[in-house]
Amino acid sequence: YYEGWQYVYAGCEEGYVDCSGLIKSKVEVCARGTEELLAESALSGPIETIPDIPGLGVYYPGHVGIYVGDGKVIDARTEASGIGYDDIEYEHWTNWFEIKGVDYSRYTNDGNE
């Protein structure tokens, strides 16, 4: 994501995204914002309990990112900062959540966690 991608406020297409647009560009839900992405999740929890499952969303009020595994997160920050790839501790994430439209079954024992 971060190579060749740009931060564009309200952007929601591949290569040109804001924080929620980074998620929305892949799951085709361009009408939703940060709080809506968390609220529509079937499973979520405090960031301290995040399972090591790539593709989970991470959240703090007004901002979202994507957990990519091994303690790393990608997020669209600002026009000046662009797309970031850092340790999960870099930002003050408060929650993790399953992103509606993403299939996590290969990371669970029975496919129905």
Side-chain angles (χ1 to χ4, degrees):
Y1 276 109
Y2 70 101
E3 292 183 12
W5 284 55
Q6 297 178 32
Y7 178 94
V8 175
Y9 181 76
C12 185
E13 61 184 75
E14 241 181 83
Y16 304 94
V17 295
D18 64 6
C19 68
S20 58
L22 183 64
I23 294 171
K24 296 181 287 190
S25 69
K26 289 299 182 183
V27 293
E28 300 176 10
V29 289
C30 285
R32 295 174 178 86
T34 58
E35 280 70 26
E36 290 85 359
L37 285 166
L38 177 63
E40 68 187 10
S41 176
L43 188 61
S44 63
I47 199 66
E48 298 81 21
T49 65
I50 190 170
D52 193 29
I53 299 176
L56 290 173
V58 291
Y59 166 89
Y60 67 75
H63 193 57
V64 292
I66 301 171
Y67 182 73
V68 295
D70 292 328
K72 300 287 188 185
V73 171
I74 291 177
D75 64 316
R77 297 177 181 165
T78 65
E79 287 182 17
S81 299
I83 309 300
Y85 174 75
D86 284 293
D87 292 329
I88 197 167
E89 292 85 16
Y90 181 81
E91 294 282 359
H92 301 288
W93 305 111
T94 59
N95 297 81
W96 63 269
F97 62 97
E98 285 189 345
I99 299 168
K100 186 177 179 181
V102 174
D103 180 5
Y104 296 99
S105 63
R106 72 181 192 169
Y107 297 104
T108 62
N109 292 335
D110 62 3
N112 294 316
E113 185 174 297

